[in-house]
Amino acid sequence: QLRYPVKITYGDGLLWISDSKANRILGVDLKNGNIEAQIGSGRPSFHDGDFQHAEFQSPQGIVFNQGKLWVADSKNNLIREIDLRAKKVKTIAGTGELGSSRIAKNHKALEIAISTPLDLALWNGGKEMVIAMAGGHQLWSYDFAKKTLNVLAGSGKEFIDDGVYPQNSLAQPSGLFEFKGN
């Protein structure tokens, strides 16, 4: 049933899977293995809306917090928010165009093009989200309260240089992990 599952998260009693080639998000009950929710029509396109009509194009990274999922919609160059209670999908970052900007500081999230987001992780106590921006060789952050984007790391040059931003560089960051320990 899965067509290239790439990332998972757990929340609201279900294992959530971004099924990239099928352009959908699945919620699976771990007790019986049943698919309890499908988000996305499966058509590779872009559309916000209810679970049945929403469309993704190669969804990748996925993270859960307080009844919501966030998805790195990689080929649409968007970050999408899924409200599990309202059963709605909406875009929170990106324009849908492939971005080329390497500098973002408090930029309105829906007004700047982003570049191939591949993974997400909550940060700063859930007030922000880190985005692995593989196409731009950077890590960006999304501020939930301000609805803005900022570059965290990576000059935009595809290489591996240590140091503080903007002197450091990354090579297609594709995975993130949220550490909740001490």
Side-chain angles (χ1 to χ4, degrees):
Q1 287 183 320
L2 295 172
R3 293 187 57 216
Y4 199 55
V6 291
K7 304 285 180 166
I8 61 172
T9 192
Y10 183 80
D12 277 3
L14 297 175
L15 179 69
W16 296 96
I17 304 167
S18 58
D19 193 11
S20 186
K21 281 280 192 195
N23 302 297
R24 64 186 179 173
I25 307 299
L26 297 176
V28 177
D29 185 324
L30 290 176
K31 293 178 187 144
N32 59 28
N34 290 338
I35 296 172
E36 299 295 330
Q38 176 175 313
I39 306 167
S41 69
R43 191 181 108 145
S45 189
F46 160 72
H47 183 73
D48 285 341
D50 63 41
F51 283 8
Q52 183 179 356
H53 297 100
E55 295 171 339
F56 300 91
Q57 191 167 353
S58 190
Q60 298 280 322
I62 184 170
V63 67
F64 171 87
N65 191 31
Q66 298 180 0
K68 293 186 179 177
L69 294 168
W70 292 277
V71 178
D73 193 357
S74 69
K75 288 192 178 176
N76 280 326
N77 299 295
L78 299 169
I79 305 301
R80 314 288 288 285
E81 179 181 272
I82 300 171
D83 187 321
L84 296 173
R85 287 163 183 75
K87 298 187 180 208
K88 298 281 184 188
V89 177
K90 73 176 182 178
T91 300
I92 63 166
T95 64
E97 299 294 320
L98 180 62
S100 60
S101 177
R102 302 293 185 250
I103 302 170
K105 184 170 181 171
N106 294 318
H107 210 292
K108 291 181 182 178
L110 290 169
E111 295 179 7
I112 187 169
I114 61 177
S115 186
T116 319
L118 287 188
D119 207 2
L120 307 170
L122 296 178
W123 178 52
N124 194 12
K127 295 177 186 168
E128 295 180 74
M129 180 169 47
V130 178
I131 305 164
M133 209 74 75
H137 313 292
Q138 295 179 308
L139 298 179
W140 287 26
S141 70
Y142 174 82
D143 185 305
F144 286 101
K146 296 178 183 175
K147 296 178 174 53
T148 56
L149 290 169
N150 291 284
V151 174
L152 287 177
S155 64
K157 177 177 76 168
E158 184 178 12
F159 203 70
I160 302 173
D161 293 312
D162 291 337
V164 296
Y165 175 76
Q167 286 79 36
N168 59 19
S169 62
L170 304 169
Q172 298 181 6
S174 60
L176 296 169
F177 174 75
E178 179 186 1
F179 179 71
K180 294 184 180 182
N182 292 339

